[in-house]
Amino acid sequence: MSAGFPAASEIPADTRPRALLSAGVRRGALLVFLPVFAAGQAIAWLTYAVSGWYRPWSWFKIGLAETLASVRVTFIGSSKRLPSAGFFGELRFPATLAVALGALTVTVVVLAFRAGREQARGLEERPVAAAIAGAAPSLGFAVPMVLIAPFVTLGFPQFGIDHLRPVWWQALVLPLAVCGSCGAIGGLTVAHAALEARGRWGSRSVGAARGGFTGFWWGLALAFAGFLVLAVLEPGATGAYARFVDRSGGSGAALVVQHALLLPNQSAMILATSMGVPTSLDVGATTVARLTLSGIHTDGNVGAGLAALVGAPSTAAAFPVWYLAFLAIPAAATLIGGRAAGRSAGGRPEAALRGALAGVVYAVHCGVASWAAAIVLPPWSAILGGSLRLGVDPARTTLVALLWGVIGGAIGSTWLDVPRRPAPP
């Protein structure tokens, strides 16, 4: 016999504003911040274990810095010219460290999405309210982030850098933006049926979002697969990397750890370069090297010095023509995204429209990813006249990705026969 009480799964969610706010703060702190904080501490311990770069009691501080880097909080300070660099031994220059540890960033995105989806339970018929509720966990993520920021100070004495401190307002705004947007999307997925029922543009929006997201993640996955294929086909470069790691001992092992964390950044750069946007190495505001599908080109004295440092015979290196096969990465990704967007479209014209709209979503994802993937490092900033930046131009990436996405999405959505909806009685 039943006691007459509803089962746990049948108890309706409390959707009052105060209850949603408190639950959102709790979910953001426990489901997003705490796992990222623990991951940051684990990475700091692992880096110390394989390299011994810093003192044991610096684990906690370095772990906090790793946590802030999950959303690309910028660290700024100043660097002084080393005494061996010339007469002006105490002349100081701005130094900047800005990097999103891609693996941790992906963790934040996934956890925020899941927290937002859980937060929006009970609001399946109200898409706007579900999105707002899904963004609530960002408060529980941002508040601890801004509280830990004042306790983090980084120093690189070997490069003449004494103090690098996080930008306080970024420690608040970036967690709110990243966690809030991903949580809002998670909330909308709970109410996607109600959103699709809101006329033709409701279903178009859902299809475009699904297709753009699918195309973007396929682009990153294919870019990583292309990197692995390139590593196999270019054994000379792979062997040189392995020999460098072996000779460097603990520093080389730490490099492997950091490289593994930055694989999503690398995939975003490969995707952008496959679409035709060069990956550039900048010193301050000056570009010293460009990487394209045709080769590597260096500019200026700094670029020539870098070429000599790596043992290149000239300031330019051409790639084999088969490197153009990387063009297949964005082509396949946008076709797959367009196909996902055109499902149940009810005709080729409607499917083509949804595929083109998915290309817009794809372009936005590529632009944001290209901004987050850029790596800014402060070493030798006093000698070089600025920090080092490796990455692609976000604005140009967005425009080029828009062209790829709209064309590829429209073709992919109509590639196969699109089932027609039955005519209304």
Side-chain angles (χ1 to χ4, degrees):
M1 296 179 62
S2 174
F5 294 102
S9 59
E10 299 174 353
I11 298 177
D14 192 347
T15 58
R16 292 175 299 176
R18 180 176 297 180
L20 287 175
L21 180 60
S22 61
V25 172
R26 183 176 63 254
R27 285 192 172 97
L30 298 180
L31 301 183
V32 184
F33 174 78
L34 191 58
V36 175
F37 168 80
Q41 295 297 320
I43 294 170
W45 178 86
L46 179 61
T47 303
Y48 171 79
V50 299
S51 67
W53 276 350
Y54 40 81
R55 297 180 180 88
W57 52 84
S58 297
W59 289 347
F60 184 73
K61 182 180 68 175
I62 300 298
L64 295 181
E66 304 273 7
T67 304
L68 293 171
S70 66
V71 290
R72 204 174 187 269
V73 173
T74 301
F75 291 75
I76 59 173
S78 61
S79 60
K80 60 183 178 181
R81 191 182 297 273
L82 298 178
S84 60
F87 176 76
F88 301 101
E90 293 300 325
L91 192 60
R92 306 191 74 86
F93 294 84
T96 302
L97 172 64
V99 56
L101 295 177
L104 278 182
T105 304
V106 172
T107 302
V108 172
V109 170
V110 173
L111 293 178
F113 176 85
R114 295 181 61 183
R117 187 175 58 187
E118 293 297 323
Q119 181 74 7
R121 298 296 182 189
L123 299 171
E124 289 81 359
E125 303 300 325
R126 300 160 57 189
V128 175
I132 296 175
S138 62
L139 296 173
F141 179 55
V143 172
M145 292 284 276
V146 76
L147 290 178
I148 67 175
F151 300 98
V152 181
T153 302
L154 302 179
F156 301 91
Q158 66 273 33
F159 300 120
I161 300 172
D162 298 326
H163 300 93
L164 285 175
R165 293 185 175 87
V167 180
W168 183 87
W169 67 266
Q170 290 189 12
L172 176 65
V173 173
L174 290 178
L176 283 174
V178 175
C179 186
S181 58
C182 296
I185 294 173
L188 283 175
T189 60
V190 174
H192 72 91
L195 188 60
E196 286 182 307
R198 292 193 174 188
R200 180 170 295 179
W201 278 103
S203 58
R204 286 173 178 170
S205 301
V206 173
R210 181 189 299 116
F213 180 80
T214 301
F216 172 70
W217 281 108
W218 266 99
L220 293 182
L222 291 174
F224 179 66
F227 165 73
L228 296 180
V229 172
L230 186 63
V232 173
L233 297 179
E234 294 288 351
T238 305
Y241 182 84
R243 288 191 296 271
F244 171 78
V245 171
D246 184 64
R247 289 195 306 266
S248 302
S251 297
L255 175 64
V256 172
V257 172
Q258 299 302 316
H259 188 183
L261 294 173
L262 293 172
L263 284 176
N265 305 55
Q266 175 183 276
S267 297
M269 296 181 198
I270 293 176
L271 176 60
T273 302
S274 299
M275 292 188 293
V277 182
T279 297
S280 62
L281 177 64
D282 303 329
V283 176
T286 304
T287 299
V288 299
R290 291 183 178 88
L291 170 67
T292 65
L293 292 181
S294 61
I296 302 176
H297 308 273
T298 60
D299 299 318
N301 294 331
V302 177
L306 290 175
L309 182 63
V310 298
S314 65
T315 58
F319 291 152
V321 68
W322 62 263
Y323 271 55
L324 294 177
F326 276 88
L327 292 169
I329 293 175
T334 53
L335 289 174
I336 294 172
R339 183 180 180 185
R343 293 175 182 171
S344 304
R348 289 187 182 275
E350 178 67 20
L353 176 60
R354 295 187 184 188
L357 292 175
V360 177
V361 178
Y362 168 81
V364 173
H365 279 89
C366 289
V368 174
S370 65
W371 168 81
I375 302 171
V376 182
L377 300 176
W380 305 294
S381 58
I383 299 175
L384 299 176
S387 297
L388 299 173
R389 181 189 182 274
L390 177 66
V392 295
D393 181 36
R396 186 175 178 181
T397 301
T398 303
L399 293 176
V400 174
L402 181 64
L403 181 63
W404 277 94
V406 170
I407 296 176
I411 295 175
S413 61
T414 57
W415 188 267
L416 299 176
D417 290 335
V418 179
R420 295 183 177 274
R421 291 178 178 175

